[in-house]
């Protein structure tokens, strides 16, 4: 197994290295169990999250062994890049890559636990959503774009929100498919990036209009174009 531990966590390296085995044994608190799995552990008195990515097929084994960085490595490297660009994301701790017969099979990403509530609960799952929060989400998207970050899965589930005296604060998760540019991405790329936010039409329209307003774009034209992009994406 390949194990890379962030320098600031070297003192806990032996404990961190055991996490994949502990997870396979069913230990830890399961937080999510779907295509990927996430479990919570206590390491050195700190709460950490371990994400186990779905085991890859034979073709993917070859691709991730010889031609492309694994999702686990990207999650680790991109967390560092997000932080460098001033976008809050859980602190990276380590990543692991298991191999069999020389080929990559499954990866793990370990991060500090982040506080906050998923914005899908606060906006999508309520009958009447908070438009101030929706505007703050649009502001977070614009902040990322202005710093050359196109989140690879810009779903409201991946916005963790905490409200404080000075307003809303966001922590971005599930960032391993993101893309980075030297400056603000092209307008078309920014607009296409919004299509994963939500399928709920009234909320999507509000989010797009808030984003357009912040960009100084025509709201009606932007909303109409964004809706066409969403319908195409859904097909």
């Amino acid at each position: 197994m390949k194990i890379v531990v962030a320098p600031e966590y070297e003192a806990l390296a032996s404990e961190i290295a055991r996490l994949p085995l502990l997870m396979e044994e069913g230990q830890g608190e399961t937080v999510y169990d779907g295509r990927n799995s996430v479990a919570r552990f206590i390491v050195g008195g700190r709460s950490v999250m371990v994400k186990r990515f779905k085991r890859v097929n034979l073709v993917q084994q070859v691709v991730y062994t010889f031609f492309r960085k694994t999702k686990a490595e990207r999650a680790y490297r991109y967390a560092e890049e997000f932080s460098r660009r001033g976008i809050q994301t859980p602190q990276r701790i380590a990543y692991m890559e298991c191999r069999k017969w020389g080929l990559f099979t499954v990866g793990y990403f370990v991060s500090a636990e982040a506080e906050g509530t998923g914005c899908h609960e606060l906006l999508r799952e309520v009958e009447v959503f908070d438009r101030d929060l929706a505007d703050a989400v649009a502001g977070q998207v614009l902040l990322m774009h202005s710093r050359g970050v196109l989140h690879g899965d810009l779903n409201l589930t991946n916005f963790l929100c905490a409200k404080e005296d000075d307003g809303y604060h966001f922590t971005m998760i599930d960032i391993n498919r993101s893309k980075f540019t030297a400056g603000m991405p092209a307008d078309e790329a920014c607009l296409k990036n919004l299509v994963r936010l939500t399928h709920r039409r009234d909320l999507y329209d509000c989010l797009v209009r808030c984003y357009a307003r912040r960009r100084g774009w025509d709201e009606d034209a932007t909303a109409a174009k964004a809706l066409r992009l969403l319908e195409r994406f859904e097909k």
Side-chain angles (χ1 to χ4, degrees), residues 57-74:
N57 59 39
L58 181 58
V59 173
Q60 292 169 325
Q61 288 180 33
V62 174
V63 170
Y64 285 127
T65 300
F66 300 107
F67 304 108
R68 191 178 183 189
K69 289 182 173 60
T70 66
K71 291 181 179 180
E73 181 176 355
R74 278 182 280 147

Side-chain angles (χ1 to χ4, degrees), residues 147-182:
R147 296 183 179 177
V149 176
L150 289 166
H151 192 294
D153 187 7
L154 200 68
N155 188 299
L156 291 176
T157 306
N158 294 326
F159 290 72
L160 298 184
C161 173
K163 188 174 183 181
E164 300 179 8
D165 292 339
D166 60 344
Y168 295 101
H169 293 265
F170 299 95
T171 299
M172 306 306 300
I173 61 174
D174 201 8
I175 63 174
N176 62 280
R177 288 186 286 176
S178 298
K179 295 181 180 179
F180 304 97
T181 61

Side-chain angles (χ1 to χ4, degrees), residues 6-43:
E8 57 268 39
Y9 289 93
E10 279 292 343
L12 300 172
S14 60
E15 290 185 65
I16 293 168
R18 296 181 63 242
L19 292 174
L21 177 59
L22 295 176
M23 192 171 181
E24 293 299 330
E25 292 176 346
Q27 298 190 44
E29 178 187 351
T30 300
V31 176
Y32 178 78
D33 190 12
R35 187 168 181 270
N36 305 311
S37 301
V38 180
R40 180 185 290 109
F41 291 87
I42 302 298
V43 177

Side-chain angles (χ1 to χ4, degrees), residues 2-6 9 12-13 16-17 19 49-51 72-73 75-77 91-96 108-112:
K2 175 183 177 181
I3 303 174
V4 174
V5 179
Y9 289 93
L12 300 172
I16 293 168
L19 292 174
M49 308 299 282
V50 182
K51 183 173 185 177
E73 181 176 355
Y76 180 89
R77 303 297 180 196
Q91 185 179 24
R92 88 277 187 271
I93 294 176
Y95 76 93
M96 298 86 159
Y108 299 81
F109 171 59
V110 185
S111 69

